[in-house]
Amino acid sequence: MEVINNIDEYKNILKDEIKKNNLVIFPTETVYGLGANALSTKAVNKIFEVKTRAKNNPLIVHLKNASEIEKYAVIENEVEQKLIDSFMPGPLTIVLKKKSCIPESVTAGLDTVGIRVPSNEIAHRFLELVDVPIAAPSANISSRPSGTRVNDIFNEFDLKVNYIIDGGESRIGLESTVVKVIDNIPVILRPGFITKEDIIDIVGNCKVSEHVLKSVSLNEKVESPGMLYKHYAPNTKCLLVYSKDINTLRKIVNDNKTSKTIILGSEKLQDIPCFKFINYGNTLESISHNIFSLLRKCDMYNGDLIIIEGVEKVGLGLAIMNRLIRTSCFNYIEK
Ligand code: AMP
Ligand code: MG
C-alpha cells in the first residue's frame, strides 16, 4: 500500500483506481474511510470482503456536495431538508429513501441509504476528483477500533488496498451521527459529534434510538443494523467503569484490577498503582479524538485487562459511551 501525502500529484492514479473498482482509504473529519465506487456492485463487494464485514450491515454513501443528494435519494420532508441545510457538509449521516441507481449491495437490501457529505478538505477534493459517489465504512477490519491514524491501520490493509491518502489524525475521531427522520421526528440511530441537543436547536425535537446503549439480539428488528455487532474492540479484554463520584469510581477500579491491568482514563485515575496507565485526555473532545488510537496502543503492552473510564452519557459523551460499551462487549459497571 502506498501512502499519498499530496493528493494533487495522484489525481489521475486515484481516479483510475476507483474506475477499476479498487478501494482507496481516505481521511474524513470523523475517521478514515475505506472507499469504493458506490454505483458498482463489484467495487462495493470488495469493501465487504476486505473488511470482513457482515453483508447485512449497510454502507454510508459519501457525496462531494449536498446538492447532489437528490441524484441518489429522495428528500421527503422539511425536517430532512433542514438537517441537510444545517449540518452538511459535516459529521452527519442522514438515512433517506434510496433511488434505484444505488445498488442493493450498498444498502444491504434496505430501501433507504445513508448519505454523508464530509467537511474534511482532502475528502472533499478526493470526492470531487473521482466524481462518483463513494461508499465507505470506517477503515478497520470488522470488530476492530476504527482507524483514525494512518500508522494504526497500515498493516491491516497493506496487502489489500493499493493507496491510502494521509490526512493526519482524524479531527473528531468517532464516526458520524446517523439520523433517520421517522414520523417527522429525527431519530439518532448512532450518536456522534452532532448531538441530540444540536439537532433540537435546529428542528425543535429529536429522539435517540433505544439501541444506542443496549445490546441487541440477533433476531430483533433494528433500524441500524450496525448496532448488532461486536465493535471497536482491541484484542485485550476490556471492562468499562463509570461513577459520578470519584471515590466510588476509584474503588471499582481497585476492586477489579488484576496484576496486568492497563487503565485507560483521565487524570482522576492516574495515581492508582497499575501495570500501565494511559491518559486519554480530560475533555470529551480529546477523548473522542484519541480513544480508538489508544485502544489499539493498549494491545501493545500485553496486559490481561483494560479498565476504561466511562463518561457521563450527555452531549458527545453519549457517542463515546455508545462506542465504549461495545468495545467492552457490554462488560460494564456503573454505580
Ligand atoms: P460504518 O460504516 O462502520 O461507519 O457504519 C455505518 C453505520 O450506518 C452502521 O451502523 C449502519 O447500520 C448505519 N447505516 C448505514 N446505512 C443505513 C441505512 N440505510 N439505514 C440505517 N442505518 C444505516
Ligand atoms: Mg465501523
Side-chain angles (χ1 to χ4, degrees):
M1 185 163 69
E2 196 173 336
V3 180
I4 298 178
N5 290 303
N6 184 349
I7 189 172
D8 292 327
E9 289 170 8
Y10 281 78
K11 271 187 183 163
N12 293 332
I13 291 174
L14 289 170
K15 210 174 163 157
D16 275 1
E17 195 66 2
I18 292 297
K19 244 194 206 146
K20 283 192 265 176
N21 292 324
N22 286 335
L23 312 184
V24 171
I25 301 177
F26 66 103
T28 80
E29 67 277 23
T30 57
V31 299
Y32 277 78
L34 177 64
N37 182 356
L39 302 180
S40 158
T41 293
K42 198 171 164 206
V44 168
N45 285 343
K46 276 191 196 164
I47 298 180
F48 283 92
E49 200 178 299
V50 163
K51 205 179 140 97
T52 63
R53 183 175 174 104
K55 283 270 185 195
N56 62 345
N57 191 4
L59 302 175
I60 292 169
V61 172
H62 296 67
L63 303 178
K64 61 178 189 266
N65 289 313
S67 58
E68 293 221 299
I69 291 175
E70 280 173 301
K71 284 191 196 168
Y72 308 106
V74 188
I75 303 169
E76 292 182 294
N77 54 60
E78 266 174 38
V79 180
E80 290 172 347
Q81 189 64 57
K82 254 190 180 169
L83 291 170
I84 291 165
D85 294 344
S86 310
F87 297 111
M88 290 188 173
L92 184 87
T93 294
I94 185 160
V95 173
L96 298 171
K97 192 171 168 36
K98 88 173 186 72
K99 287 194 174 167
S100 60
C101 57
I102 298 288
E104 294 219 327
S105 50
V106 171
T107 63
L110 297 173
D111 60 1
T112 54
V113 58
I115 302 266
R116 177 158 127 70
V117 180
S119 62
N120 176 287
E121 180 56 32
I122 300 174
H124 180 72
R125 274 157 66 199
F126 171 64
L127 290 165
E128 221 167 27
L129 79 90
V130 297
D131 206 25
V132 287
I134 292 288
S138 52
N140 54 276
I141 301 296
S142 278
S143 92
R144 300 274 300 145
S146 304
T148 56
R149 321 274 191 264
V150 168
N151 285 342
D152 288 353
I153 49 174
F154 188 89
N155 291 337
E156 263 172 56
F157 294 106
D158 188 16
L159 302 173
K160 297 174 183 151
V161 176
N162 293 327
Y163 297 100
I164 180 166
I165 308 168
D166 192 349
E169 299 182 356
S170 310
R171 180 172 61 83
I172 294 171
L174 294 183
E175 307 80 352
S176 58
T177 305
V178 178
V179 69
K180 182 177 183 185
V181 177
I182 302 172
D183 298 331
N184 275 317
I185 298 174
V187 179
I188 292 180
L189 306 182
R190 175 178 72 184
F193 188 80
I194 292 173
T195 61
K196 177 182 173 183
E197 295 75 16
D198 293 334
I199 293 176
I200 289 174
D201 277 350
I202 300 293
V203 292
N205 53 17
C206 178
K207 288 184 191 163
V208 177
S209 159
E210 57 169 345
H211 294 122
V212 160
L213 290 172
K214 72 168 214 196
S215 119
V216 183
S217 67
L218 275 175
N219 46 18
E220 210 171 327
K221 185 186 176 303
V222 285
E223 286 287 353
S224 182
M227 290 294 171
L228 285 168
Y229 308 102
K230 179 188 166 193
H231 237 122
Y232 322 115
N235 297 321
T236 316
K237 183 182 169 195
C238 296
L239 169 67
L240 177 64
V241 298
Y242 178 71
S243 175
K244 263 190 176 169
D245 177 67
I246 183 159
N247 292 322
T248 310
L249 178 69
R250 290 168 67 90
K251 183 167 178 343
I252 304 172
V253 173
N254 275 315
D255 288 351
N256 287 279
K257 72 179 184 188
T258 61
S259 61
K260 288 188 86 183
T261 286
I262 299 157
I263 298 178
L264 178 56
S266 71
E267 59 189 20
K268 278 187 230 165
L269 302 180
Q270 75 183 358
D271 60 330
I272 295 184
C274 66
F275 181 61
K276 175 82 192 162
F277 172 80
I278 297 178
N279 191 329
Y280 65 20
N282 292 308
T283 63
L284 295 177
E285 283 75 15
S286 66
I287 297 168
S288 103
H289 178 77
N290 292 325
I291 193 72
F292 286 138
S293 191
L294 292 180
L295 284 166
R296 286 169 175 273
K297 188 174 168 191
C298 285
D299 272 340
M300 298 193 307
Y301 293 101
N302 288 316
D304 61 6
L305 178 69
I306 307 168
I307 295 187
I308 312 170
E309 180 185 334
V311 297
E312 197 179 351
K313 300 179 210 90
V314 291
L316 182 56
L318 182 67
I320 293 170
M321 288 301 272
N322 165 265
R323 306 312 190 275
L324 290 180
I325 282 175
R326 287 170 172 78
T327 294
S328 55
C329 297
F330 295 87
N331 188 19
Y332 176 37
I333 300 175
E334 176 171 348
K335 279 185 185 159

